[in-house]
Every structure is written in structure tokens, then in C-alpha cells.
Amino acid sequence: MAFCSYTFQVNCSYQRPSIPSKVQDLKVSISSALNPLSRDLLHFPIVAADIPKAIKETSFKLLDAFVDLVFEFVDQPLLPSQSNFAPVEENGEAVLVTTAEGKIPDDFPEGVYIRNGSNPLFGGLKSTKSIFGKSSHVWIEGEGMLHALYFTKEKGRGTWNIFYNNKHVRTDTFKMEKDRKKPGFLPAIEGDSSAILVAYILNGLRFGMENKYLSNTNIFEHSKKYYSIAENHMPQEIDISSLETLGNWNIDGAWDRPFTSHPKKAPGSGELVIMGIYPRKPYFELGVISADGKKMVHKVDLKFNRCSLCHEIGVTKKYNVIMDFPLTIDINRLFRGDSLIKYDKDGYARIGVMPRYGDANSVKWFEVQPCCVLHLINCFEDNDEVVVRACRAHESVLPRQQSFKSSKEISSIENNNESSEEPFFVHVCEWRLNMRTGEVKEKIATTEFSMEFPMINEKFVGLRNKFGYLQVVDLEACSISEGLAKYGGLAKLHFQEYEELVEVEYHMFPKGTFCSGATFVPKTQGTDENDGWVVTFTHNESTNVSQIQVPKGLSESFLLIQCLTEISR
């Protein structure tokens, strides 16, 4: 479907904003960066608290001198087509967005739209060279930076003011490296297996942890508090007015392990369902946090026999939905010269349905075809069935984005009667899991484009819903940028009850324009699930022009925000 749109040119000037102390949050916090990788993979009792401080300091200095002598930190180069992934500096002050052509809808709610993403310190992502080999940070690593747009109306006039600000999330390791004024942590995800092993050991001995706490994947709200998160560590509470980091949230000491980037509020109760994975037992633990955020009301080890790189958990009215797919983290592979993170095409895949406060024995498991699922669209109950909708690919793009085939290459393959199934093409998929009979029904949507990073109206999380919104992969742009993910448009899914799973409508951006961090903002007085807008940052790499677009159609379903070149990076 074609869209017409109004386009706003914006200029920006520095001005300290007058932002209300209490703004109606838009509950918008999807990150363009996906970070399910960096984890505390080993435990080093050598750095126990009872070692005298002087010995610790001397040992640290000796180990630091060894790292400086043996390891060389090297900036990883960025291609011209990868400029949108370059880091930016903190603003220091909010920026007033001015000179807009067009009009923000009158019923658009006041509030703040915050996007979280990777923004590495010290010039960019690093690689290291040493006698042990090479290791490098991967595209999803880099310290978290919050990018916020504040929408406020002048009282009595109805005039909109829009401000932009950005700020790094001050995790413990961010402050540690900032104080050092140089890189400290050795990359420990991708590279030669011997170099990765040594990196884990040295990071653990020097810092007491094996990877940085990145906090670069998502922003979520619970009990009117806001948290930044990447799932290798606990969340950091954020003041959304100032973007200041207020400290770690460990639920009064009840949670001491990684914390999912995509927790879910349980329908009805408002409790927060979380999970955390770890590459040594217990591999997978699930928790339920009270609606007021003050205590952990349920915590259980699900007795996994492997560390599945599970990025998301689902909820329905009664159940938790658990994904156990064959993308795994295994330290033992490093000793065999293999990858730390690997997708096993022949491994098993299963979906678990568990009562809200159940245990490992109460999970009903459903075997499904092996595939890779990182993001769920939604889950809900339908009579005897639990319906799971997700973004599904045959293989995984992790730990490094693979070489995508462009649409022209796929077309050429089809014309030569070869298999046209791109392993990393992400399809919309639905599983219907019958709790009474154990039957599994799988349906995959045939769509023109690969799509990821789904969002829905958050009021329908865990309930039957009709609509979903996704970012559309630009395969040509991904191919040119050597696999780094670029999203050239948005898709609206209308789920069907008949043979076809979805009807799809697209809004494609101009050539060279890409989005990140899209989310759905419902109308305050909306009466239908679809009443609202999709908000996202975009960036035109060809012209370096910043825009705000408000496309017509879909009952004003899309409001596309772009303000300043750097906020989309």
C-alpha cells in the first residue's frame, strides 16, 4: 500500500529545556541494538573480598602492566556504508528542535520517547592483537546511550516544544573505564578461541567480571520507575527527565544474575515476569516481581541442560512462555577451538508453557522445528491453545551479522530454480500449542520483506491482539554494509483468522534512510487497538538530512520522528 506523508525539516539549537518534572511517559523504549551476548561467563574466586586491599592493588597493577605489554587495542574500521553505527558524544545540554514544517497531531500525547543503543567509548569498538591471537567486540557491544525526545505543549497556546538529549548509562564498568581514560576490558566474544579464553581470565582477575555491563538494549517501566537494561547484568534505574543513572536494581538483593532485556508485565496482576540465562548451572532461572517492584514473589531454576541464548520471555493471562532454541553459549567449545556462541542446525528446539508460579516439573514442552527466534510479537490463550507469534529465521545472525543476500540475488536464485530460502530471512511465524492434546500447529507468513524488532500496543501484551508493527530489513543495504542490520521501512501486520496469517501494509523510507528503535504510542483516548502512532528515529545516510515525517493512512498509525543526524546512531 502506498503512503502519502508530510515531511518536516528541523533545525536544532542548544537551549536548556523546561521539561515538566512529571511527564506522561509514552512507554516507548525499543532499542535498535540487540545485545543478548555479553555475559559473565566464568567465576573467579581469586578476586574474593577477603584478599587484603594492598595485595589486590599490587596484583591489579602487575596484571594491567602485562595487558599493556602484550595486548594492542586497535580501532575496528567503519566502512562509509556503516557510518550510522559510529559513536557520538554526549550533548551535555538538551537541544531545542526548531523550524518544523507541518504539524504534530493535536491528540499526540505529551511525554518522552527514549531509545537505548550501543555507543562505545574511546572512539569506537575495539579489537586486540596479542601472542594469543585476535579478539574483537561485535556489532552489538558498546556502552549504552539513551537518546530522548521530549514532547511538551505550552499551556494556553497549544504550541509544541520538542527537546532532544542524550547521555551514557553510568554502569559500574562504564565509570571504571571512564576513570581509567582508556580501554580496559579485553574483547571476549568473537575471535581466536585462545585469545577469548585469556581475555575472560584476565578480565576476571583484573576487574572481578569477565565482560562490561553494557546496559545498551532496552528501556522498560515498572511501578512508575524506568530502567535501562542489557541482559548481561541487572537493570539500572534512570531519571527520565535528566537521563541520570540512579543505580542498580536488584529487587532488594533477590536477583543476582543476568536479567532479560524484554521483561513482560503479566495481564491483570501487573507483576513483572523476568528470566536470566547463564553459561553455567543454573542455565535458566525465571522470576516474578511484585506489581509495586519491591519484592521477588517467585523465583525458580527450570533445570535446563544447556545455556540457550534466550533473548525474550512471553506471558499470557495464566502462563509464562519459554523459548529453548539451538543458539547456545558453551565455554567448553573454546577449548576445542570452536565458537563460544553457535547455532546448531541439528539441535532441538522447544517452547515451554508454564503456570505463572510453576516450577521445572510444571512446564509443558512442545517440540518444534529447529530455528532461531530472538523476538516474540505476542502470546495469548485461545481456548485449549496457547498462541505464540514470533520473528523466526532458519539460522542465527549472532554473534556476527552474516552476509545477507540482496533481493536481486534472491531473485536470481529463484530464476535458476534453486532454493530461495535465505537462512537469515526473518519470517513472521505462529505456533498454536494445544495444552490438552500436546499438538503443535505451525504457520509461517509469506511476506515480501524480512522483518524484525516487533512491537504491539502494550495494553495487549499477553492478550489476543489484531495488530503488530515491525521494522523492515533492507537487504541491499545490509549486503553493502557487510551484514550490519539496516531497516528501510515499517510494516503493519493485521492478523487473520483464515488461511493467510497476516495482511501486511508497508511504509518505506526514501533511499538511504533507515530507522531504529520503533515503538507504538497509543492515543490517550483511543478506543481501538490500532489507535495511535509508531514512533522511530531515522537517519538519511545519503543526504545527512534530519526529518520528521507524519505519513497519512492507517488511521494515522505512523508518526516517524527523525531529529538530528546523530540520534539514530
Side-chain angles (χ1 to χ4, degrees):
M1 178 178 179
F3 287 76
C4 299
S5 66
Y6 301 105
T7 300
F8 301 94
Q9 286 295 118
V10 299
N11 299 318
C12 300
S13 63
Y14 279 91
Q15 176 175 324
R16 193 174 295 276
S18 175
I19 300 171
S21 59
K22 293 183 179 180
V23 292
Q24 178 193 348
D25 179 59
L26 305 188
K27 297 180 182 176
V28 290
S29 50
I30 303 296
S31 172
S32 63
L34 174 66
N35 183 26
L37 299 183
S38 303
R39 323 207 170 262
D40 304 325
L41 294 183
L42 301 171
H43 177 66
F44 292 87
I46 295 174
V47 286
D50 56 354
I51 297 177
K53 182 178 179 180
I55 295 177
K56 282 185 181 181
E57 290 178 351
T58 301
S59 299
F60 178 86
K61 290 178 180 178
L62 290 172
L63 288 167
D64 217 32
F66 175 77
V67 169
D68 289 341
L69 178 67
V70 174
F71 290 85
E72 178 187 3
F73 282 91
V74 180
D75 283 331
Q76 295 176 204
L78 281 174
L79 299 172
S81 59
Q82 298 173 338
S83 62
N84 199 38
F85 296 88
V88 297
E89 297 297 322
E90 289 184 329
N91 270 9
E93 293 184 329
V95 175
L96 174 66
V97 180
T98 62
T99 320
E101 298 176 6
K103 184 181 179 183
I104 297 174
D106 291 334
D107 52 353
F108 190 76
E110 291 186 273
V112 53
Y113 166 41
I114 304 179
R115 173 243 190 206
N116 194 356
S118 169
N119 196 81
L121 282 170
F122 308 118
L125 294 172
K126 305 296 181 184
S127 296
T128 59
K129 299 178 182 179
S130 71
I131 59 175
F132 306 104
K134 297 180 180 180
S135 67
S136 60
H137 288 126
V138 297
W139 59 282
I140 54 171
E141 295 185 278
E143 285 73 14
M145 176 175 275
L146 304 177
H147 303 263
L149 279 178
Y150 298 91
F151 296 84
T152 63
K153 275 185 177 180
E154 293 184 14
K155 291 183 178 180
R157 298 179 60 187
T159 304
W160 283 97
N161 289 323
I162 304 175
F163 295 91
Y164 164 73
N165 200 6
N166 68 356
K167 189 166 290 187
H168 271 115
V169 182
R170 263 61 177 177
T171 65
D172 298 337
T173 58
F174 174 92
K175 292 182 284 189
M176 187 186 302
E177 286 209 318
K178 192 77 170 175
D179 290 343
R180 288 169 53 87
K181 297 182 173 58
K182 65 177 183 178
F185 283 83
L186 298 169
I189 290 295
E190 185 177 66
D192 298 322
S193 56
S194 56
I196 295 174
L197 277 172
V198 172
Y200 278 120
I201 294 171
L202 289 173
N203 287 343
L205 290 172
R206 293 158 71 216
F207 303 114
M209 60 200 75
E210 296 72 47
N211 276 299
K212 292 187 284 188
Y213 299 148
L214 298 174
S215 199
N216 69 4
T217 307
N218 196 13
I219 291 281
F220 69 91
E221 176 272 336
H222 188 58
S223 187
K224 298 181 181 180
K225 293 184 178 181
Y226 302 87
Y227 302 93
S228 174
I229 183 66
E231 61 208 50
N232 69 331
H233 189 42
M234 65 190 71
Q236 285 71 52
E237 185 179 352
I238 301 297
D239 181 330
I240 60 170
S241 294
S242 66
L243 302 186
E244 294 292 336
T245 305
L246 302 179
N248 297 329
W249 185 44
N250 62 8
I251 309 94
D252 198 25
W255 191 263
D256 60 354
R257 61 186 290 113
F259 188 113
T260 179
S261 295
H262 301 289
K264 295 293 192 306
K265 281 192 180 180
S269 71
E271 294 169 326
L272 193 69
V273 180
I274 67 171
M275 56 91 174
I277 64 170
Y278 200 70
R280 60 185 177 87
K281 292 183 177 180
Y283 294 124
F284 188 114
E285 284 191 327
L286 182 144
V288 182
I289 301 172
S290 61
D292 62 10
K294 294 182 179 179
K295 61 181 180 179
M296 184 76 65
V297 297
H298 187 63
K299 183 179 178 181
V300 62
D301 172 11
L302 293 190
K303 309 294 185 184
F304 276 32
N305 61 11
R306 65 182 182 183
C307 180
S308 298
L309 208 166
C310 181
H311 183 58
E312 190 161 5
I313 192 167
V315 293
T316 71
K317 287 182 179 180
K318 295 188 297 185
Y319 301 112
N320 308 315
V321 179
I322 301 127
M323 315 298 284
D324 183 11
F325 285 67
L327 176 63
T328 60
I329 305 174
D330 188 349
I331 299 170
N332 292 324
R333 284 197 291 253
L334 294 174
F335 294 97
R336 303 192 295 268
D338 205 347
S339 300
L340 175 67
I341 299 167
K342 188 173 183 178
Y343 177 77
D344 182 3
K345 298 179 184 179
D346 299 319
Y348 64 86
R350 59 181 186 165
I351 301 174
V353 181
M354 165 190 168
R356 182 78 70 234
Y357 309 109
D359 58 16
N361 295 325
S362 68
V363 182
K364 187 174 181 64
W365 290 104
F366 296 83
E367 301 291 328
V368 298
Q369 290 295 318
C371 61
C372 182
V373 171
L374 292 175
H375 292 109
L376 295 170
I377 299 172
N378 198 23
C379 306
F380 59 89
E381 297 161 36
D382 186 11
N383 297 320
D384 291 333
E385 295 178 325
V386 170
V387 180
V388 180
R389 292 171 178 161
C391 296
R392 174 194 188 279
H394 273 289
E395 298 182 29
S396 172
V397 298
L398 301 175
R400 174 171 289 277
Q401 287 279 41
Q402 306 299 318
S403 178
F404 289 90
K405 294 184 180 72
S406 69
S407 58
K408 292 180 180 178
E409 291 173 309
I410 293 175
S411 177
S412 175
I413 290 172
E414 291 172 342
N415 292 336
N416 287 298
N417 296 320
E418 301 175 29
S419 172
S420 61
E421 185 59 63
E422 162 62 53
F424 311 109
F425 191 103
V426 182
H427 295 272
V428 174
C429 180
E430 177 184 274
W431 290 279
R432 287 185 167 266
L433 314 174
N434 194 302
M435 297 294 291
R436 182 174 54 83
T437 67
E439 181 184 10
V440 177
K441 297 177 184 176
E442 180 178 309
K443 186 185 291 186
I444 298 175
T446 302
T447 56
E448 182 180 356
F449 298 101
S450 178
M451 297 179 248
E452 250 288 9
F453 292 100
M455 72 216 87
I456 65 171
N457 186 329
E458 287 192 352
K459 296 176 182 177
F460 290 82
V461 170
L463 306 174
R464 181 192 290 271
N465 67 307
K466 298 182 293 184
F467 300 101
Y469 310 89
L470 293 90
Q471 296 176 189
V472 176
V473 179
D474 186 323
L475 292 174
E476 274 83 4
C478 291
S479 179
I480 294 170
S481 65
E482 295 193 353
L484 290 179
K486 292 186 177 181
Y487 301 92
L490 296 170
K492 176 186 175 183
L493 309 181
H494 188 173
F495 292 97
Q496 307 295 314
E497 297 295 333
Y498 43 86
E499 185 174 347
E500 290 295 326
L501 177 58
V502 294
E503 289 183 355
V504 187
E505 301 175 57
Y506 297 103
H507 174 83
M508 306 306 293
F509 304 131
K511 184 175 177 59
T513 298
F514 306 102
C515 74
S516 65
T519 195
F520 183 84
V521 182
K523 289 184 179 180
T524 305
Q525 303 299 326
T527 58
D528 187 76
E529 177 188 344
N530 189 45
D531 285 347
W533 303 265
V534 170
V535 180
T536 186
F537 289 113
T538 68
H539 174 233
N540 188 314
E541 293 184 347
S542 303
T543 64
N544 212 27
V545 171
S546 300
Q547 299 177 332
I548 296 175
Q549 300 177 16
V550 185
K552 291 182 178 179
L554 299 180
S555 300
E556 296 184 323
S557 294
F558 294 107
L559 173 67
L560 312 177
I561 302 296
Q562 177 184 6
C563 168
L564 298 177
T565 299
E566 58 264 31
I567 58 181
S568 65
R569 296 176 182 168

